[in-house]
Amino acid sequence: MNRIARDFPPNSEAGFISLIQSSQSLHHLKQIHALVLRLHLFFSSIPISTQLLSSSSRLHSIPFSLSLFRLSPCPSPSLFNALIRALSDHSLPFLALSHFALMFNSSLRPGRLAFPFALKSAAALSQPSLAFSLHAAASKASLDLDSFVRTSLADMYVKLGFLDCALNVFDETPAWHLAGNVLLWNVVLNGLCRDGDVERARELFDVMPERSVASWNSLVHGLLKRGDLDAAVELFEGMPERNVVSWTTMVVGLSRNGDNQRAVWMFDRMLENGVRGNEFTVAAALSACARMGALESGLRVHEYALANGFRENGAVGTALVDMYSKCGKIECASEVFDRMERRDVLTWTAMIMGWAIHGHWRKAFQCFEDMKCARVKPDDGVFLAVLMACVHSGKVEKGLELFDSMRFYYQIEPTMKHYTCIVDLLGRAGRLEEALEFMKAMPVEPDFVLWGALFSACRVHKNIEMAELAAENLLRLKPSHSGGYVFLSNMYSSARRWDDAEKVRTTMKDQSVGKSPGWSYIEVRGQTHCFYAGDQSHPQSNEIHNRLEELVLRAKEQGYEPDTECVLHDIEDEDKEDSLECHSEKLALAFGLISTANGEEIRIVKNLRVCGDCHSLMKVASLICGREIILRDNKRFHHFNSGVCSCGDYW
DNA sequence: CTAGGGTTAG
């Protein structure tokens, strides 16, 4: 206290500057400003006004920055620079550039400190013509030899997608200049990785005079983006140092490539290495748990987040909503959602999608209405989520209405995903002709996924002619994809056209197309147990099979009849009766029954759609075992309780 | 002036 009293108010310019730099609130800053004005001390001092402006930007008060600028009767170059930087830092590229123009047209020409932020703003506005003009202006002012300016130029071109221009900037940089500018190397390296040219990036990486963590991070990201997991992991393991970005890159990359188990493991390893995650690392880890349906891991990450002061907001909040909903805990998702203070369009999408996959269409619609009341502007993703709610509950008219309002009222251009949703919506409801007509009227060529949606609808509603058409297109679009063959073969089997089914099977074997195996997994006390169809590799295999047999016997007493048609769909299994009993979800269920306490809920995650037979067995099992069974298939959730399923047998 | 980042159809 004493010390402050003695030095206050400062009696030198330097004293004021350090006071300004240490200010921790806007209020404090304004008091200092008032003092400067009142004491008529240094009020026209360039360093003091510049420092005031920079500090107001640091404290995120752009209005105050602007008024400081306007108050200045004769703005100095450094005040201009500080303002342009402040505006650029706060994503106000248009304002930044208009002040840059003001400076440019005054007698004060922008210097090496103003250009970089103007270039960044031009990139943010994605205005190529502006970018080229700025480049020319920098050359004319002979500033393009400055390393700060050159790096910004290259970065601007990368962000605008003009990789060639960025490479030109790089190539035309004198060697002596390049040697000491890691940042320029990194910018180009990153540009190459973003463009998918990892080979060239690697070459550049190998000859770099000096590398920073960012160089490694870029290359790791490039490899992950390409799906080259092994190479990425190898590079990552060989890094001389890793920071939070490195770890986040790995968690996200592994998860996006389907290796969620390893993604969560990476997150744990990061913590073991004493690196503190940020909100995005936490969100990425939660996302990996969500994709796996691993509730126990998800809960652990949630605990970490709470213990480390991450608010249930923004990316973390959204990821939590998504994690709980994809792990079967829709009520928990809803609780987190209600607790959140700010919800953006992604948060609403995650919540609506949650209600949709759990079959609560009313909740999904209500949520959509609430979102509009909260004045959050719907985007294409939200419509996808609401459409999904319609698909999973057979609300055909409502879905078509939504689709039209999206296009005509909200002026949102539908994507292939939306078209697929509509075809799925019509198809599932048995309105196949309409679905096909809809496809013909689409402005774009249907893709593999869309034909797949039509095909499954044909199978459910046993329309062989249309199914053949769909199958032809599936095979045309992806000859190597096993799905097309499996679909086709299944269809012939269902129609008892054994010869045709056999023909397809032979073609499949000739071209050595593999079928992706079905698996299910269940988490029991922090351990995950994965089962394949007909799996006998589990140490408790005998017990599991016995428990399953017993269950089937008791289920039959309750009127359960094995549905052999499902077996026919499993073209690789020769022995019908056996295979029916060995679907992976049944094994997971039996294991769940013997390894959890009576009455405890059983959560199973499956990578394919649940078959009709397993679905009926699950229903009966929930009744005779008095358990809630929560099954996530690759589309949605089935909550089995007292003999009924939440999907209402519509899936 | 550099690296990573939450939701989304079959």
Side-chain angles (χ1 to χ4, degrees):
Chain A
M1 261 325 245
N2 266 338
R3 215 177 64 86
I4 290 172
R6 231 184 298 128
D7 296 346
F8 194 85
N11 57 7
S12 68
E13 197 180 49
F16 264 103
I17 287 175
S18 71
L19 188 65
I20 293 166
Q21 282 172 339
S22 63
S23 66
Q24 286 307 313
S25 71
L26 183 63
H27 179 67
H28 192 182
L29 198 65
K30 284 184 171 170
Q31 283 183 321
I32 302 168
H33 183 226
L35 196 64
V36 171
L37 292 178
R38 194 153 53 87
L39 296 177
H40 288 278
L41 279 171
F42 325 111
F43 75 97
S44 59
S45 151
I46 291 177
I48 286 183
S49 39
T50 307
Q51 211 43 249
L52 278 167
L53 204 156
S54 303
S55 283
S56 72
S57 168
R58 173 172 54 83
L59 299 168
H60 308 294
S61 177
I62 291 302
F64 190 53
S65 310
L66 282 165
S67 58
L68 280 170
F69 180 79
R70 286 186 190 127
L71 272 171
S72 168
C74 171
S76 63
S78 58
L79 197 65
F80 259 111
N81 289 342
L83 182 68
I84 293 166
R85 174 171 194 171
L87 295 169
S88 160
D89 284 350
H90 286 84
S91 314
L92 294 164
F94 189 79
L95 271 181
L97 282 164
S98 49
H99 284 89
F100 181 84
L102 200 63
M103 190 183 190
F104 198 80
N105 294 326
S106 72
S107 53
L108 311 163
R109 281 313 172 91
R112 56 179 296 275
L113 291 174
F115 262 99
F117 301 103
L119 294 169
K120 195 181 172 190
S121 300
L125 283 176
S126 18
Q127 294 264 332
S129 56
L130 201 55
F132 294 127
S133 310
L134 285 170
H135 189 170
S139 304
K140 200 171 167 223
S142 309
L143 287 167
D144 61 340
L145 277 175
D146 180 82
S147 64
F148 202 153
V149 175
R150 277 201 95 71
T151 308
S152 302
L153 275 170
D155 185 47
M156 174 184 72
Y157 285 128
V158 165
K159 288 195 173 123
L160 287 171
F162 295 150
L163 189 58
D164 290 348
C165 298
L167 288 168
N168 266 342
V169 172
F170 180 79
D171 289 338
E172 286 166 11
T173 304
W176 56 269
H177 188 317
L178 219 46
N181 192 351
V182 208
L183 259 49
L184 181 53
W185 286 84
N186 279 350
V187 166
V188 175
L189 186 69
N190 190 239
L192 287 168
C193 289
R194 279 198 202 194
D195 201 49
D197 196 346
V198 188
E199 277 71 31
R200 244 169 117 189
R202 180 98 223 190
E203 282 168 27
L204 201 70
F205 181 84
D206 288 338
V207 299
M208 277 174 80
E210 183 189 343
R211 296 177 195 123
S212 67
V213 202
S215 326
W216 262 277
N217 289 347
S218 278
L219 201 56
V220 169
H221 180 237
L223 289 165
L224 286 168
K225 200 179 156 196
R226 207 170 60 165
D228 218 333
L229 297 198
D230 295 336
V233 169
E234 197 190 323
L235 196 67
F236 175 81
E237 298 299 342
M239 281 173 73
E241 62 167 312
R242 301 178 197 104
N243 62 12
V244 65
V245 175
S246 327
W247 292 99
T248 310
T249 306
M250 286 309 287
V251 176
V252 172
L254 289 169
S255 167
R256 289 220 176 129
N257 284 289
D259 199 341
N260 295 300
Q261 192 99 51
R262 203 145 51 135
V264 174
W265 174 74
M266 272 290 170
F267 179 76
D268 289 334
R269 252 184 76 199
M270 177 189 80
L271 301 184
E272 280 163 22
N273 282 31
V275 176
R276 200 173 171 280
N278 61 27
E279 61 171 315
F280 292 110
T281 326
V282 172
L286 286 169
S287 176
C289 299
R291 284 184 240 244
M292 278 199 286
L295 181 63
E296 296 188 24
S297 307
L299 283 167
R300 241 185 40 233
V301 180
H302 190 180
E303 274 161 27
Y304 169 84
L306 292 178
N308 285 274
F310 292 100
R311 307 286 306 271
E312 289 171 327
N313 254 323
V316 174
T318 304
L320 278 168
V321 170
D322 185 50
M323 185 278 285
Y324 281 116
S325 103
K326 295 225 174 87
C327 291
K329 292 292 184 185
I330 189 65
E331 320 79 30
C332 299
S334 170
E335 279 164 26
V336 173
F337 182 82
D338 289 341
R339 276 203 297 273
M340 286 173 71
E341 290 148 10
R342 296 185 315 275
R343 307 176 188 101
D344 65 9
V345 67
L346 271 59
T347 319
W348 290 97
T349 308
M351 191 67 246
I352 295 171
M353 197 64 194
W355 293 123
I357 57 176
H358 284 273
H360 298 281
W361 61 273
R362 271 176 214 281
K363 292 271 198 186
F365 290 158
Q366 186 56 51
C367 200
F368 184 52
E369 292 305 319
D370 292 347
M371 183 193 87
K372 287 187 282 188
C373 288
R375 304 229 183 154
V376 174
K377 203 169 154 252
D379 68 357
D380 58 332
V382 175
F383 274 101
L384 213 48
V386 201
L387 282 173
M388 282 302 294
C390 299
V391 170
H392 289 315
S393 55
K395 296 270 166 273
V396 182
E397 299 311 325
K398 184 82 191 161
L400 294 172
E401 208 177 284
L402 263 164
F403 184 72
D404 285 337
S405 85
M406 171 180 91
R407 288 199 301 166
F408 302 121
Y409 186 75
Y410 292 95
Q411 311 269 316
I412 296 171
E413 192 58 37
T415 67
M416 193 63 84
K417 299 180 183 185
H418 296 91
Y419 294 129
T420 308
C421 254
I422 296 293
V423 167
D424 200 19
L425 181 70
L426 290 166
R428 263 176 229 245
R431 292 159 66 165
L432 294 170
E433 296 297 335
E434 273 172 86
L436 193 61
E437 248 164 67
F438 178 86
M439 283 171 71
K440 285 181 185 156
M442 279 168 38
V444 287
E445 171 89 352
D447 68 356
F448 181 83
V449 176
L450 207 155
W451 283 111
L454 185 72
F455 189 95
S456 346
C458 292
R459 200 172 65 192
V460 172
H461 296 285
K462 308 206 167 26
N463 183 330
I464 297 210
E465 247 169 80
M466 206 183 285
E468 266 175 321
L469 174 72
E472 269 167 34
N473 282 288
L474 287 172
L475 295 180
R476 176 177 60 84
L477 290 165
K478 245 190 219 178
S480 63
H481 194 277
S482 59
Y485 295 91
V486 176
F487 278 160
L488 199 58
S489 157
N490 285 348
M491 186 199 66
Y492 288 131
S493 303
S494 303
R496 319 244 177 260
R497 280 164 62 177
W498 312 113
D499 291 349
D500 288 323
E502 183 55 38
K503 226 181 283 169
V504 177
R505 265 206 267 181
T506 317
T507 322
M508 207 173 144
K509 273 185 187 140
D510 286 351
Q511 306 198 355
S512 43
V513 180
K515 189 181 80 158
S516 66
W519 52 256
S520 296
Y521 93 76
I522 177 166
E523 255 181 336
V524 175
R525 287 180 295 276
Q527 277 282 316
T528 60
H529 302 260
C530 191
F531 297 92
Y532 292 85
D535 202 336
Q536 307 206 352
S537 60
H538 195 275
Q540 286 163 272
S541 187
N542 280 338
E543 240 180 295
I544 294 167
H545 283 267
N546 292 340
R547 185 68 183 86
L548 186 57
E549 243 169 74
E550 184 197 329
L551 178 68
V552 171
L553 270 170
R554 284 182 60 195
K556 280 181 180 164
E557 289 166 15
Q558 297 284 322
Y560 158 76
E561 276 178 44
D563 177 359
T564 45
E565 191 162 308
C566 300
V567 182
L568 302 176
H569 292 169
D570 235 346
I571 60 163
E572 299 234 312
D573 291 308
E574 301 295 327
D575 191 336
K576 292 175 190 176
E577 278 166 27
D578 257 14
S579 74
L580 194 58
E581 288 197 352
C582 288
H583 272 179
S584 60
E585 58 268 52
K586 288 188 185 133
L587 296 175
L589 171 65
F591 177 71
L593 288 171
I594 57 175
S595 48
T596 60
N598 260 339
E600 212 177 303
E601 68 181 26
I602 292 177
R603 280 175 288 105
I604 299 169
V605 179
K606 179 174 164 90
N607 68 334
L608 305 175
R609 299 211 84 173
V610 57
C611 82
D613 181 62
C614 289
H615 195 265
S616 12
L617 182 67
M618 296 263 170
K619 284 199 286 188
V620 186
S622 74
L623 183 69
I624 56 187
C625 304
R627 301 264 201 148
E628 182 175 6
I629 303 166
I630 303 168
L631 173 69
R632 182 180 101 170
D633 69 13
N634 65 348
K635 287 276 101 53
R636 60 166 299 157
F637 275 93
H638 300 266
H639 293 258
F640 301 94
N641 217 334
S642 319
V644 287
C645 178
S646 64
C647 75
D649 298 338
Y650 185 89
W651 87 96

